[in-house]
Amino acid sequence: MSSDSQPGQEAPAADSPEEDPVTKVPLKIEDWLTVLVMGALALITFANVLARYFTNESFAWTEEISVFLMIALTLVAASAAVARDRHIRIEYFSDSGSMARRKGLSRFGAVMVAILFTLIGTLSIRMVWDDYRFEETTPGIGLPAWWYSMWLPILSLGIALRAVGLFIRRGREA
């Protein structure tokens, strides 16, 4: 059977997944990181549920690591959303008007996202340095706090770079 639409056949559903934009850094990175983080989160939570059920006690370390993984998951998913131009917007304004207006609003949004996450990334570097310099430890299991906090500037700057890429792609579109 051919995959091409024949007259009289139904067209593919309008809500079918769109193709990913062509980017220099593949979006599969964010996709696989999402899968790995979600898998780790599910395993940790399941292990804690089993421990509580069979021993009436929970693992102390699971909450701390789960919170870190949720934050990392949020930032990784935000990076993918920015690269795919699926971030939050008011569609009444972004989808109305001429194509030039929509393109301009999309580019403006990309610039604002890039500025915000560059600011978050650069300011959080100081936080990581303070965690390292003052040898801060986590309250639950006593790990060095910078092991967790170092990912905020890395992922924030990654989001900012994805926003710059979106800005460039939107500028090239006719």
Side-chain angles (χ1 to χ4, degrees):
M1 179 188 274
S2 163
S3 64
D4 295 334
S5 298
Q6 300 293 328
Q9 289 182 333
E10 286 187 32
D15 59 6
S16 62
E18 298 175 11
E19 285 190 32
D20 283 339
V22 177
T23 58
K24 289 191 189 257
V25 178
L27 285 167
K28 293 287 183 200
I29 294 171
E30 281 95 339
D31 294 343
W32 277 105
L33 280 173
T34 300
V35 167
L36 293 173
V37 170
M38 284 293 290
L41 208 75
L43 287 173
I44 288 169
T45 304
F46 184 65
N48 198 28
V49 167
L50 288 178
R52 281 185 187 171
Y53 182 76
F54 289 115
T55 66
N56 289 332
E57 304 222 2
S58 65
F59 296 133
W61 54 269
T62 58
E63 182 179 354
E64 189 172 291
I65 293 177
S66 293
V67 168
F68 162 71
L69 289 174
M70 291 291 266
I71 293 168
L73 180 64
T74 301
L75 292 171
V76 168
S79 177
V82 167
R84 290 181 171 108
D85 196 19
R86 304 299 255 163
H87 50 80
I88 296 173
R89 63 180 132 236
I90 301 172
E91 291 179 358
Y92 177 78
F93 296 112
S94 68
D95 292 348
S96 63
S98 67
M99 185 56 85
R101 180 179 181 272
R102 285 186 271 173
K103 179 179 160 182
L105 284 174
S106 178
R107 294 187 84 200
F108 176 73
V111 167
M112 293 295 104
V113 168
I115 289 170
L116 173 68
F117 281 98
T118 299
L119 186 62
I120 291 171
T122 53
L123 292 175
S124 62
I125 289 171
R126 174 67 189 262
M127 179 186 70
V128 174
W129 174 246
D130 285 346
D131 284 348
Y132 177 77
R133 183 173 53 148
F134 295 120
E135 298 178 2
E136 293 285 329
T137 58
T138 59
I141 51 181
L143 291 174
W146 67 268
W147 288 6
Y148 296 134
S149 61
M150 74 176 186
W151 295 103
L152 180 59
I154 293 169
L155 294 172
S156 294
L157 293 173
I159 293 170
L161 291 173
R162 286 293 193 186
V164 169
L166 176 63
F167 178 82
I168 292 169
R169 281 195 318 276
R170 288 293 181 249
R172 290 183 186 155
E173 290 176 355

